[in-house]
Amino acid sequence: MKFHYIPSEQRSKADALLLPCFEEEGSFSYTHLVPEELLATISLLKKTGDFLAKKGDLCFLYTESKSFPRLLLLGLGPKSGVDGEVVRESYAALTTALAKKKLSSIVVLLPHIGERGASWTLQAAMEGMVYGSYQFCRYKKQETGYPELFFPYPSLDEFFVIHQRVVAFKKAMILTRDLVNMNANEKYPAGFCDSVLSQIEGSGIVCSVFDEKWIQQEKMGLLLAVGRGSATPPRMMVLSWKPCLSDPDHTVLVGKGITFDTGGLNVKPSGSIETMKDDMAGAAVVVGLLSALAEMNIQKNVTAVIPLAENSLGSRSYKPGDVFRARSGTTVEITNTDAEGRLILADALDWSKTELAPTRIIDVATLTGACEVALGDEIFGLFSNSDSLAFEFEKAATRAQEAVVRMPLYQGYNERLKSDIADCKNASSRVGGAILAALFLERFVGKLPWIHLDIAGTAFYKDAKGYYGKGATASPLRTLLEFFVSSTL
Ligand code: BES
Ligand code: ZN
Ligand code: ZN
């Protein structure tokens, strides 16, 4: 699927013309001037009442027109309700349907909506089409042969900027979702690194993979503990995109990389374990983000730090009741081996803080079922020790139209992390679980401006929903990209 610019006023020719339509009291309307010879076909359709332009509805009409033998009507629902999300969803539905048709070219018209500029609509429509065309092809032959899409647009320069961004987003989205959807037996810690290395080759991102020996030398006792039970040892992966060496500003992104979470000896039951190959979605999305920054040649220094381990159960597994020493020197009593994410993140956060001189740290993690219970599967949680950083991030999420809610780092709950035999414990009750996990992480970042994103609910869908197919969603990639590259919409 390729996107092309054509000047607005150009008369064109293609296999189909796509016309967005609004639902309107038992009929529908559209805001474009339609070629004269197509009007009769539309009015015949209107008489039947077969198409009401409900959101995502599609209708193929066949015409006598020499320019467009097919007219494709796309429903957006009532005009008053149309926003970026509706555009994404409807244009995604269009691409999903196109996968089964054999068309080679379509002229795609966009709706005129509200006060938002045309560039905003163009970006949302293209993003929708990118989501809608995603197919996970690793283990199953997929539909191929999307048509070339031609967008009549007023400005070539503006089109070019949006196009470049959407292409970078698409690559990053595919990379992120493919990594998450991949079998756990292929993306064990070293496998994940190999896979990422092969994908980012030639991008300008500098990459290091540290093995278990290095992790031992670094005294990352928590990452080692979590990785102990697996036949595939832990790794630390560091990806760095540093185009402005003279600029001291440096963001570190830390992504949770549990390549499969069995729960360890506190094993997860059926019903909870099935989707746990997604427990490296934080790692995948920070890789995706870096690939987008490099693709767009964004002049900001960003490093991704990814602790990787498989939380397995076996004779060597770390055990409830044991105490391990973190890289920071803090000792941690393991009260639950299923609260493993915060352990590997703690060592990665500490290393990032002491070795990388970051200006700010953002960690992304499928961290707690409690966050999913609290916010559901469309909103991710944000915790931060910095109001200004949190505010900047929330603004980016609003622009990107991904839902986030700031959650409290309520210090009173620190009591519950106290241990009788160590400096703290890794888990206590499930009540307030997302906050407790965030408080645990905070101990390892101290005063450094920091955001923790809990994406346990939003990273992976058991069933297809909206413009997301079944499986990985790449959440919160749009927000992360918007945070670093504010769109001028
Ligand atoms: N990986 C899970 C969290 C999770 C749950 C991610 C659902 C995606 C969907 C995490 O490691 C975990 O198991 N957390 C425990 C913590 C508890 C033992 C304190 C949880 O949330 O139940
Ligand atoms: Zn767990
Ligand atoms: Zn986990």
Side-chain angles (χ1 to χ4, degrees):
M1 192 176 64
K2 279 206 176 113
F3 301 126
H4 305 276
Y5 160 85
I6 49 174
S8 297
E9 64 284 359
Q10 185 176 310
R11 271 195 73 83
S12 41
K13 214 172 152 184
D15 287 348
L17 174 71
L18 177 110
L19 179 66
C21 300
F22 302 114
E23 189 180 351
E24 211 170 70
E25 291 162 12
S27 185
F28 62 89
S29 64
Y30 42 87
T31 49
H32 291 270
L33 280 178
V34 175
E36 193 98 350
E37 65 266 31
L38 301 178
L39 288 173
T41 320
I42 298 182
S43 69
L44 281 177
L45 172 70
K46 275 197 170 171
K47 277 194 197 138
T48 67
D50 283 358
F51 173 76
L52 296 174
K54 293 200 180 305
K55 187 172 73 180
D57 274 1
L58 264 176
C59 180
F60 271 81
L61 295 175
Y62 299 92
T63 80
E64 302 269 338
S65 158
K66 293 217 166 49
S67 321
F68 303 108
R70 297 174 194 81
L71 180 60
L72 242 165
L73 304 184
L74 174 65
L76 301 179
K79 189 170 184 180
S80 56
V82 177
D83 63 4
E85 275 298 88
V86 170
V87 171
R88 262 177 223 106
E89 271 186 49
S90 312
Y91 282 77
L94 164 73
T95 2
T96 314
L98 289 177
K100 297 183 180 71
K101 305 268 177 197
K102 296 282 172 263
L103 301 183
S104 55
S105 61
I106 302 186
V107 169
V108 181
L109 302 180
L110 298 169
H112 306 299
I113 45 176
E115 318 88 70
R116 301 287 199 161
S119 60
W120 185 81
T121 316
L122 177 67
Q123 185 175 324
M126 282 181 171
E127 283 172 356
M129 296 175 117
V130 162
Y131 279 113
S133 66
Y134 173 75
Q135 302 186 45
F136 180 53
C137 325
R138 202 172 171 89
Y139 311 116
K140 188 180 177 198
K141 198 168 169 294
Q142 302 286 324
E143 308 278 354
T144 51
Y146 286 104
E148 308 267 307
L149 301 164
F150 296 85
F151 294 82
Y153 196 75
S155 151
L156 172 61
D157 291 348
E158 222 174 87
F159 183 92
F160 180 79
V161 172
I162 293 165
H163 182 260
Q164 197 208 25
R165 183 191 178 104
V166 172
V167 168
F169 169 73
K170 180 179 178 178
K171 276 195 181 172
M173 184 206 72
I174 294 174
L175 176 56
T176 307
R177 291 171 92 176
D178 280 355
L179 282 167
V180 177
N181 287 329
M182 192 192 287
N183 275 9
N185 75 343
E186 292 189 83
K187 64 178 176 199
Y188 54 90
F192 175 95
C193 298
D194 290 345
S195 205
V196 170
L197 284 171
S198 71
Q199 294 288 325
I200 61 162
E201 216 186 310
S203 66
I205 297 170
V206 178
C207 187
S208 321
V209 176
F210 299 109
D211 64 8
E212 212 180 357
K213 249 200 186 132
W214 178 91
I215 298 171
Q216 269 161 5
Q217 280 160 7
E218 281 293 326
K219 298 194 168 66
M220 296 182 170
L222 302 183
L223 177 56
L224 282 174
V226 174
R228 276 181 63 86
S230 172
T232 56
R235 291 283 185 272
M236 260 279 276
M237 187 171 205
V238 180
L239 304 166
S240 128
W241 170 249
K242 280 187 151 181
C244 345
L245 288 174
S246 56
D247 184 354
D249 192 275
H250 179 207
T251 306
V252 171
L253 296 166
V254 179
K256 172 176 172 182
I258 292 293
T259 60
F260 194 84
D261 185 8
T262 64
L265 289 172
N266 292 102
V267 64
K268 282 186 184 292
S270 293
S272 301
I273 202 166
E274 293 78 3
T275 56
M276 281 303 133
K277 68 175 179 185
D278 81 344
D279 216 15
M280 37 56 76
V285 78
V286 300
V287 171
L289 192 260
L290 246 73
S291 84
L293 297 180
E295 173 85 17
M296 294 170 76
N297 196 18
I298 297 302
Q299 298 300 299
K300 288 189 179 162
N301 298 322
V302 185
T303 299
V305 174
I306 304 174
L308 291 150
E310 188 183 70
N311 190 21
S312 281
L313 68 170
S315 55
R316 275 179 47 82
S317 289
Y318 77 136
K319 299 178 180 63
D322 286 352
V323 174
F324 295 94
R325 187 179 295 277
R327 181 180 186 276
S328 68
T330 303
T331 55
V332 182
E333 177 192 359
I334 306 303
T335 47
N336 191 321
T337 59
D338 197 11
E340 82 300 333
R342 64 199 74 183
L343 298 173
I344 66 164
L345 289 172
D347 278 342
L349 288 167
D350 180 67
W351 183 80
S352 304
K353 189 176 75 174
T354 62
E355 304 303 310
L356 299 179
T359 315
R360 62 194 73 75
I361 300 192
I362 301 175
D363 79 71
V364 193
T366 45
L367 204 61
T368 66
C371 193
E372 187 178 20
V373 172
L375 302 179
D377 59 7
E378 291 184 22
I379 308 172
F380 58 94
L382 179 154
F383 296 84
S384 182
N385 59 2
S386 158
D387 288 345
S388 55
L389 182 58
F391 184 59
E392 278 307 306
F393 199 87
E394 284 176 291
K395 279 200 299 191
T398 305
R399 291 196 301 276
Q401 291 194 299
E402 285 186 315
V404 61
V405 165
R406 186 165 178 193
M407 307 273 275
L409 268 176
Y410 177 64
Q411 297 301 321
Y413 289 168
N414 262 316
E415 283 289 312
R416 304 185 193 182
L417 292 176
K418 280 193 174 154
S419 158
D420 295 330
I421 58 169
D423 297 332
C424 65
K425 56 186 176 188
N426 73 331
S428 63
S429 64
R430 279 178 203 263
V431 197
I435 301 176
L436 287 170
L439 285 171
F440 182 90
L441 297 181
E442 190 186 18
R443 290 166 184 247
F444 299 87
V445 279
K447 295 270 175 281
L448 194 72
W450 158 74
I451 284 178
H452 156 58
L453 303 173
D454 194 332
I455 57 165
T458 57
F460 194 92
Y461 287 169
K462 278 187 197 141
D463 300 301
K465 181 176 156 129
Y467 45 79
Y468 296 111
K470 197 174 159 145
T473 62
S475 158
L477 182 61
R478 288 210 313 273
T479 302
L480 285 170
L481 188 55
E482 186 64 37
F483 180 75
F484 289 100
V485 192
S486 179
S487 47
T488 45
L489 307 178

